[in-house]
Amino acid sequence: MKKLWIAVPLVALLAACGGKDSSASAGGQLQIVGSSTVYPFTTAVAESFQKANAGMRVIVESTGTGAGIKLFCGGIGGQFPDMVDASRPMKASEYADCAKSGAKNVIEVPIGIDGLTLIHAQGQPALNLTVAQIYQALAADRFGKGPNKAQIWKDIDPSLPATKIRVLGPPPTSGTRDSLAELILEKGCDSDPAMKDLKKADDKKHKQVCTKIREDGAYVEAGENDNLLVQKVSADPGALGVLGYSFLEENADKVAPVLIGGVAPTEASISDLSYPGSRRLYIYVKGEHLAAKPAIRQFIKAYSKAWSKGGLLEKRGLVPLSPAEAAAATAQATALKPLDPSSLK
């Protein structure tokens, strides 16, 4: 009788939110979508959580950050995800879509730091690129001077090898693609003073010139499966790949890192943000689902224990936050305070 008494309000609340789940799925199932980079960390927590909580089911899907947030912001109720993994902060425009569909209480929880890395096949000559060189290799319109004609890295800089420019990376729906644009391409583009001036004069045009990637085969969209990308790069000498640090660490026997600005991606260089590709990772929670699914709070609490120094996720390749940031994140994992939309860009 106690189980039935608990199940009734769960169903009623989900029905009020437009949900269609049964009482079992409402209380005993969590749905998470989003970033392929965050996916292995959330999956590890989900596996541990399910073992510790009999009857719980946590479904984690790797959809890419952008596509995941779109699903997350589709509405409230049982047919919509409870949480979304993200390898970048949520955008103001994405929050606006959430709010329009009734999901106004979006909760941001930082989980750790990752490094956006460039990789090549193990055994290849060491390669050290600057953000400016990477931009010049991948930009569709280099510094606003017309279509990119560079075919080999030596076309970019005489000191670079005469190897064909071929970079395998994520599609536009991926948070890793957004991080590539923000952390690498824009910074490389702004190495030209004229581009900094363009940003002040015409931000929209600046973004187009600095972040639009060429579509002539030099950059190959390799999907959201980072393990498959590792396989492709390891079997393609001369090709580079773009993915998260944890996949590099897990596949050190197959691929090696490309230095960026002379800095190699390591736990230390990513943690202190000296590595140019360092980025924070997040999980977003739908506040409107907390009452119907108390297990969400329990799951986030389990996540906060897993991201600690020496914890489950560091062993999987996640770089822990600094002590101060980790303390703030742990406090947020308990408070689950909705974010202030005015803080989003």
Side-chain angles (χ1 to χ4, degrees):
M1 290 299 294
K2 186 175 181 181
K3 289 183 179 179
L4 290 174
W5 184 84
I6 293 174
V8 170
L10 287 172
V11 176
L13 180 53
L14 283 168
C17 293
K20 298 178 181 179
D21 279 9
S22 68
S23 61
S25 61
Q29 178 172 296
L30 303 181
Q31 184 182 2
I32 308 170
V33 295
S35 167
S36 61
T37 298
V38 183
Y39 173 81
F41 305 132
T42 298
T43 299
V45 176
E47 290 172 352
S48 174
F49 184 74
Q50 288 176 138
K51 288 179 181 178
N53 296 273
M56 279 302 308
R57 186 182 180 204
V58 184
I59 300 172
V60 187
E61 296 180 73
S62 175
T63 62
T65 297
I69 291 178
K70 187 174 182 179
L71 291 168
F72 175 81
C73 290
I76 56 176
Q79 70 268 48
F80 300 104
D82 304 298
M83 291 167 271
V84 59
D85 296 330
S87 56
R88 57 159 173 81
M90 179 177 282
K91 300 174 182 177
S93 59
E94 291 170 330
Y95 174 83
D97 289 339
C98 264
K100 287 177 185 176
S101 67
K104 299 179 180 179
N105 295 313
V106 178
I107 299 161
E108 180 183 273
V109 182
I111 66 165
I113 307 174
D114 179 50
L116 181 148
T117 60
L118 265 66
I119 60 169
H120 56 175
Q122 189 63 259
Q124 293 295 296
L127 186 59
N128 181 12
L129 299 172
T130 66
V131 291
Q133 290 167 341
I134 298 169
Y135 166 75
Q136 291 181 70
L138 298 182
D141 180 9
R142 288 199 300 172
F143 302 120
K145 297 177 180 178
N148 196 338
K149 301 295 186 182
Q151 295 299 310
I152 60 175
W153 287 98
K154 203 173 188 70
D155 291 338
I156 303 297
D157 189 303
S159 67
L160 296 177
T163 307
K164 185 178 179 180
I165 297 171
R166 179 173 164 79
V167 180
L168 284 66
T173 53
S174 171
T176 298
R177 175 74 165 260
D178 292 325
S179 295
L180 173 64
E182 180 183 348
L183 299 174
I184 306 297
L185 300 183
E186 280 198 55
K187 291 179 180 178
C189 181
D190 287 341
S191 64
D192 183 340
M195 293 298 99
K196 289 185 177 181
D197 292 338
L198 177 61
K199 184 175 178 64
K200 295 176 183 177
D202 189 338
D203 186 63
K204 186 175 181 180
K205 186 175 181 180
H206 174 270
K207 185 172 183 179
Q208 173 78 4
V209 170
C210 292
T211 65
K212 182 173 175 56
I213 294 178
R214 59 198 295 187
E215 299 175 345
D216 59 357
Y219 182 88
V220 181
E221 291 185 5
E224 296 281 6
N225 189 327
D226 289 334
N227 285 311
L228 182 58
L229 187 147
V230 167
Q231 292 176 24
K232 289 179 177 179
V233 171
S234 63
D236 189 354
L240 304 186
V242 181
L243 42 56
Y245 171 71
S246 63
F247 287 92
L248 164 65
E249 191 176 51
E250 289 175 6
N251 295 279
D253 59 325
K254 301 182 186 72
V255 294
V258 173
L259 275 62
I260 300 181
V263 182
T266 64
E267 182 165 324
S269 67
I270 293 169
S271 180
D272 65 15
L273 305 181
S274 61
Y275 176 68
S278 301
R279 57 179 177 168
R280 289 174 176 81
L281 304 177
Y282 305 87
I283 189 166
Y284 289 90
V285 178
K286 192 171 293 174
E288 286 79 5
H289 284 195
L290 291 176
K293 297 187 177 183
I296 294 175
R297 288 185 180 275
Q298 299 166 19
F299 181 79
I300 296 300
K301 185 176 181 180
Y303 218 125
S304 69
K305 292 180 179 178
W307 72 48
S308 61
K309 185 71 177 174
L312 171 65
L313 297 184
E314 185 178 19
K315 295 173 183 176
R316 297 292 182 101
L318 182 69
V319 176
L321 295 163
S322 69
E325 289 180 316
T330 300
Q332 170 64 346
T334 299
L336 295 181
K337 180 181 178 182
L339 60 77
D340 177 0
S342 67
S343 66
L344 302 178
K345 298 180 181 178

